[in-house]
Amino acid sequence: MHITIDGQQIEAQPGQTVLEAARAAGIYIPALCWHAKTGKAGRCRACVVEVEGRLKESCALPVKEGLVVSNNSAKVLATRRMVVELLLAEGHHNCISCEANGACELQDMAYSLGIERPVFQIDAAPAPKDETSEGIIRDENKCIHCGRCVQACQTVVVNQVLGFGFRGNEAKVVCDADVPMGDSTCVQCGECVQVCPVGALTLKQIAGKMRTWETEKTKVTCPYCGVGCQIDFHTKDDRYAFAMAHEGDWEQQPNKGMLCVKGRFGLDFVDSDQRLTTPLIRKNGVLEEASWDEALRFVADRLGAVKTEHGPDAIGFFASAKVTNEENYQLQRFARAVIGTNNVDHCARL
Ligand code: FES
């Protein structure tokens, strides 16, 4: 079917919302509480569009044949402007020192509307940052109550740690029964950081070191287990910076745009000085560096000697979830076809 946005006819699929159809066609409609993974929340009103003189939330408006939408009318822009001005007045959105500066959806919206500074001043004292979690910094001064993190925690990863607490002006996102994140039941999956549109939830490991947009992104497969999670591996100056679940075609990926604590926070080992880069052979009780040829010859000789002396079942093989299916297949083929044993086992921690 077709709908028209600001005079431009675009294709839309049945079941899509106007926001989704617009995004698919490359048309920018701001959305602060909607996220592809968490769906619509109808909280922020940033996505309003005009249809037959009425303002509607495009994140909740289903497409229908011939629908005519204005994304740019004076009414739409004035409403969005008010949304942003109120949000800016509500917290302490100090872009200069914010970790999300340059990658903030509220900032993008303010920029697109030409808003230079908050017009309303509400002088509430800033709340202290919650830095008790090992991997995540929470800054409620920058929270816009969009609910993406709550939805992600409750229904995407189903950890059910984050929720809304209190009422009215006191309303805020809380961990469990409003305890510091480090004392909560949070499992550090980091999904909340991934969906946060502003600087309210950020990664501790890069705080003050770099902004997320300064990094180079490479899509990789997580090495930690056999699920095959797709990761956007961020590097800066050729060093590991941080990891995010791959977002582009996340619905097609085995991890569906999610990561566990190991995939999110456990990849710093790649730059560890303690990694082995050459094989080691123990000689007279001391590990000494060896060439690959020497190491392979040594292993082949030892396996051959044990097999000759004690039979193939004196040898066992451990496969690992950290390598590919193909490598695990090769290992068991080597055990069965070359050595002649079925002593093959597996451990996710190897
Ligand atoms: Fe539509 Fe928030 S994105 S109401």
Side-chain angles (χ1 to χ4, degrees), residues 31-34 42-45 47 57 59:
L32 295 175
C33 67
W34 175 91
R43 284 177 163 273
C44 72
R45 310 289 195 267
C47 66
E57 292 149 11
C59 69

Side-chain angles (χ1 to χ4, degrees), residues 1 13 26 39 57 74 118 135 154 158 180 195 216 224 240 256 264 305:
M1 70 174 79
Q13 305 304 322
E57 292 149 11
Q154 295 282 333
V158 201
V195 298
E216 200 173 314
Y224 270 109
Y240 167 73
K256 298 277 183 278
R264 179 91 59 192

Side-chain angles (χ1 to χ4, degrees), residues 24-35:
I27 295 173
Y28 174 63
I29 296 181
L32 295 175
C33 67
W34 175 91
H35 186 278

Side-chain angles (χ1 to χ4, degrees), residues 113-153:
L113 292 164
I115 297 172
E116 290 181 353
R117 60 185 64 79
V119 289
F120 307 111
Q121 292 298 338
I122 302 174
D123 288 327
K129 282 186 194 175
D130 179 356
E131 302 193 45
T132 56
S133 156
E134 224 160 289
I136 299 166
I137 298 176
R138 290 184 68 217
D139 185 352
E140 72 177 71
N141 302 297
K142 300 197 174 111
C143 178
I144 56 170
H145 297 189
C146 66
R148 280 190 196 174
C149 60
V150 172
Q151 196 68 9
C153 191

